[in-house]
Amino acid sequence: MTKPTSVLIIGSGPVVIGQAAEFDYAGTQACRALREEGVRTILLNSNPATIMTDPGVADAIYLEPLTIASIDRILEVERPDGVLAGLGGQTALNLAMDAARAGVFERHGTRLLGTPIEAIEMAEDREAFRDLLDRIGQPYAPSVIVEGETEAERRRMADLALAEIGLPAVIRPAFTLGGTGGGIVDTEEAYRERVKAGLRLSPIGQVMIERCLVGWQEIEYEVMRDADDTCIAVCSMENVDPLGVHTGDSIVVAPVQTLPDPVHQRLRSAALAIIRALGVEGGCNVQFALSPDGTDYAVIEVNPRVSRSSALASKATGYPIARVAAQIAMGRRLAEIPNAITKTTVAAFEPALDYVVVKLPRFPFDKFPTADRSLGSQMKATGEVMAIDRTFGAALNKALRGLEQAGAGFLAEDPAWGPTLDLLSGRAIDLGDEVTAGADGLVTSDPEAIVVRGRTAVLRRFLTPSDSRLWRLLGLLRRGVPGSELQAITGISPWFIGEMERLVELGRRPDARRAIAGEGARARPPPFRNRPSGPRTPGRSSSSARPPSACPARCPRREVPRLRRRPIRR
């Protein structure tokens, strides 16, 4: 492929749930990478409140509506050699696909760079992707496609899908962002409303009705591929919440902590096989559902572009995914792209992590207190916090403090939970007992509340997926509710529940309790040994340690040599 001399980059537009600063980060990386390659960059974005639209990031910036007409006018004026749409999220991808179908690229003699149009259609079209999985022998959950030219035809197909799949079911519209229009449904009324909404919001008028794999784990792999078919798995990630909660609303851990190596290698190989079969050139996100015993898995979906998870994987591993994806779109190979972070390896090397990364979602419910706080397959989080440490517990505690939200600390509990927590931990509830519980799962005396029977029913309602489920779990563990019981109710991996129990036990120690609350001295691991970085120079330390102020939690001040400051000569 001839290297282009000028490229139009399509941005992600307004900040919306599921598509925010991550794509500004990706677009800025792409602009800088292409300018280093000597390529003239032309940026189209409708959002001026971004870094990528700052003067100096791109050679030409168009603050115009993200429409086919805007692309047509820019191509007419600028005459770029190619269009890069894989770094602007689902908005840019859908716009590029619409422009290609309208013949805009062909009329102006330009082409879509990176992943081919055919690969994007195959990954985003639910039926075409399912046919691809059949050809390469990859499993997927039983599902039925609902689409049609007329309202009667769509209603007939929805009835057939309901009869075949049953309830509960997952509704997945095609070509939508953040699960928009989709969700998990338990009743026929909710099913018909959700299917109707999904068909209306899907750009191609298509939804997939999928059997709900309740209790299965959700695993993601961020993978890269170039035109020579060289593939690598950049990062593996797993959700703490089981399938049913959107990955953007779940606690995400990288790399995977709960999978044995054979299972991890099996899923990694499947992810690489899928990206090869699709023919994606650049970054790609592959999502799997894994059975609780680890014996079976199913492919959920693929994002044939740099996704929201790509920003998390990039920052977690230090691998510049968006930058490398832009260079691959220019025709470069992974083996010849230098890693801009390490400066010593090339992009064909897979990162190896000796630490744990925890991502916590941040929800806007403090600004919208009357909103529905339950979580499902449609994303509601508007931000996230990422923390890095040597263990899951330490990273989780650090992420909780990083939320900077009132009542979000490790020991935080809503006073309204008190009666419910005491009831679940202090008094046995017989199967015949009737307890009234509100929509938030709390025990109440409201006569209009739902009546539930038995301890398990009360506990299940109290731990329904919501923005506060993590703190409710910790509150129950502090009151002695067995972790095995909580695992059976929530479907969360026993390893994660065990780690939370360990943190709770640590919190019972007076010294560690102050550390968890963020007060007093932090718990410190043994100090590390400084390794010489070369031959000693007289008068200078051979230590490669940073100043004590740079790492107070790991380097006790008394054990780190003080750095001498030389006076500045004027």
Side-chain angles (χ1 to χ4, degrees):
M1 182 183 74
T2 305
K3 180 180 175 180
T5 58
S6 62
V7 172
L8 171 62
I9 300 173
I10 305 177
S12 58
V15 173
V16 295
I17 292 178
Q19 187 169 274
E22 302 92 347
F23 296 100
D24 184 23
Y25 168 79
T28 304
Q29 274 196 18
C31 289
R32 290 173 176 168
L34 297 192
R35 294 187 78 178
E36 290 177 7
E37 295 279 332
V39 177
R40 183 172 182 268
T41 54
I42 306 153
L43 176 66
L44 168 63
N45 201 1
S46 61
N47 184 4
T50 56
I51 301 298
M52 68 165 65
T53 53
D54 286 354
V57 175
D59 294 298
I61 299 173
Y62 287 84
L63 292 174
E64 299 286 344
L66 295 178
T67 61
I68 296 177
S70 297
I71 292 181
D72 197 7
R73 288 196 302 269
I74 294 172
L75 294 181
E76 180 69 31
V77 173
E78 297 287 349
R79 297 290 180 180
D81 298 324
V83 177
L84 190 58
L87 301 170
Q90 195 68 44
T91 299
L93 202 67
N94 289 352
L95 179 58
M97 295 299 293
D98 291 341
R101 295 188 189 102
V104 174
F105 298 157
E106 184 178 0
R107 184 164 62 250
H108 292 285
T110 189
R111 66 184 188 276
L112 189 65
L113 300 174
T115 301
I117 293 176
E118 296 77 13
I120 297 173
E121 289 179 335
M122 196 179 301
E124 295 284 358
D125 186 295
R126 301 290 182 179
E127 188 169 12
F129 182 61
R130 198 173 57 172
D131 293 341
L132 172 74
L133 295 178
D134 284 332
R135 290 198 300 272
I136 63 177
Q138 292 295 332
Y140 54 87
S143 57
V144 175
I145 302 297
V146 174
E147 57 186 352
E149 297 294 332
T150 64
E151 180 66 27
E153 186 178 357
R154 291 192 291 269
R155 189 182 302 112
R156 181 183 62 82
M157 295 188 70
D159 292 341
L160 293 175
L162 178 61
E164 181 174 341
I165 301 300
L167 296 174
V170 181
I171 314 300
R172 298 188 186 276
F175 284 93
T176 60
L177 171 69
T180 301
I184 299 176
V185 292
D186 297 307
T187 65
E188 184 174 347
E189 181 182 1
Y191 168 81
R192 298 195 180 280
E193 289 180 0
R194 189 71 70 173
V195 169
K196 189 175 181 180
L199 289 170
R200 184 178 67 254
L201 294 171
S202 171
I204 63 173
Q206 182 193 87
V207 299
M208 182 171 71
I209 315 301
E210 184 180 86
R211 183 171 297 167
C212 186
L213 302 176
V214 178
W216 286 38
Q217 281 181 275
E218 187 167 350
I219 312 292
E220 294 184 58
Y221 284 82
E222 199 70 33
V223 291
M224 301 284 294
R225 177 183 177 272
D226 63 18
D228 281 347
D229 205 31
T230 302
C231 298
I232 64 168
V234 176
C235 186
S236 60
M237 297 169 280
E238 64 178 321
N239 292 4
V240 171
D241 296 290
L243 199 67
V245 176
H246 193 281
T247 183
D249 290 346
S250 177
I251 303 170
V252 178
V253 181
V256 292
Q257 301 292 302
T258 65
L259 303 187
D261 188 62
V263 176
H264 163 63
Q265 295 298 338
R266 186 182 178 195
L267 295 180
R268 176 185 174 277
S269 299
L272 298 183
I274 291 170
I275 191 176
R276 283 193 167 108
L278 284 171
V280 171
E281 294 182 18
C284 181
N285 175 263
V286 185
Q287 301 172 19
F288 297 98
L290 182 69
S291 63
D293 59 4
T295 57
D296 296 318
Y297 72 91
V299 180
I300 300 175
E301 64 179 1
V302 167
N303 290 314
R305 55 177 170 82
V306 173
S307 66
R308 177 187 43 76
S309 299
S310 302
L312 173 64
S314 184
K315 294 179 180 180
T317 62
Y319 189 99
I321 293 175
R323 180 188 180 91
V324 173
Q327 291 174 302
I328 289 176
M330 296 302 103
R332 300 192 66 180
R333 306 298 189 257
L334 286 170
E336 62 186 26
I337 300 174
N339 189 312
I341 305 298
T342 64
K343 308 290 187 183
T344 58
T345 59
V346 295
F349 283 83
E350 293 187 353
L353 308 187
D354 60 351
Y355 51 85
V356 179
V357 177
V358 172
K359 183 271 291 184
L360 284 186
R362 195 188 192 287
F363 297 93
F365 297 130
D366 53 340
K367 297 182 178 67
F368 305 100
T370 60
D372 179 14
R373 304 173 81 111
S374 62
L375 304 180
S377 63
Q378 184 169 341
M379 185 174 170
K380 295 183 178 181
T382 55
E384 58 190 33
V385 172
M386 187 187 83
I388 301 176
D389 216 301
R390 293 193 177 276
T391 64
F392 167 75
L396 176 63
N397 184 30
K398 189 182 291 185
L400 286 170
R401 297 198 303 271
L403 281 174
E404 296 183 351
Q405 233 175 348
F410 180 81
L411 302 174
E413 286 184 9
D414 189 330
W417 302 347
T420 308
L421 290 171
D422 294 339
L423 186 65
L424 289 171
S425 59
R427 181 177 73 87
I429 301 177
D430 297 329
L431 291 178
D433 288 349
E434 290 187 352
V435 177
T436 55
D440 54 4
L442 303 182
V443 174
T444 178
S445 58
D446 186 354
E448 296 183 0
I450 298 175
V451 177
V452 293
R453 289 178 176 271
R455 174 187 175 81
T456 301
V458 176
L459 193 58
R460 180 174 289 110
R461 190 164 183 81
F462 183 63
L463 294 177
T464 298
S466 68
D467 64 309
S468 61
R469 179 157 76 164
L470 171 63
W471 289 269
R472 297 186 182 202
L473 279 169
L474 294 173
L476 290 169
L477 289 172
R478 276 192 289 270
R479 286 163 174 78
V481 177
S484 57
E485 185 177 6
L486 301 181
Q487 190 276 327
I489 292 293
T490 62
I492 296 174
S493 169
W495 189 88
F496 290 122
I497 296 291
E499 287 294 299
M500 293 178 193
E501 284 185 295
R502 190 175 65 83
L503 277 179
V504 169
E505 289 298 322
L506 179 66
R508 293 194 173 101
R509 293 166 40 192
D511 56 338
R513 189 179 183 86
R514 287 195 300 272
I516 290 176
E519 303 167 357
R522 297 179 184 177
R524 295 174 176 172
F528 62 82
R529 294 181 179 179
N530 298 322
R531 297 182 179 179
S533 57
R536 295 180 64 88
T537 303
R540 298 183 67 182
S541 170
S542 63
S543 170
S544 61
R546 294 173 289 176
S549 60
C551 47
R554 297 186 183 177
C555 308
R557 183 177 294 276
R558 64 180 181 277
E559 297 189 15
V560 177
R562 294 182 179 274
L563 299 181
R564 296 181 179 180
R565 294 188 177 183
R566 298 181 179 180
I568 299 175
R569 295 181 180 178
R570 298 186 182 274

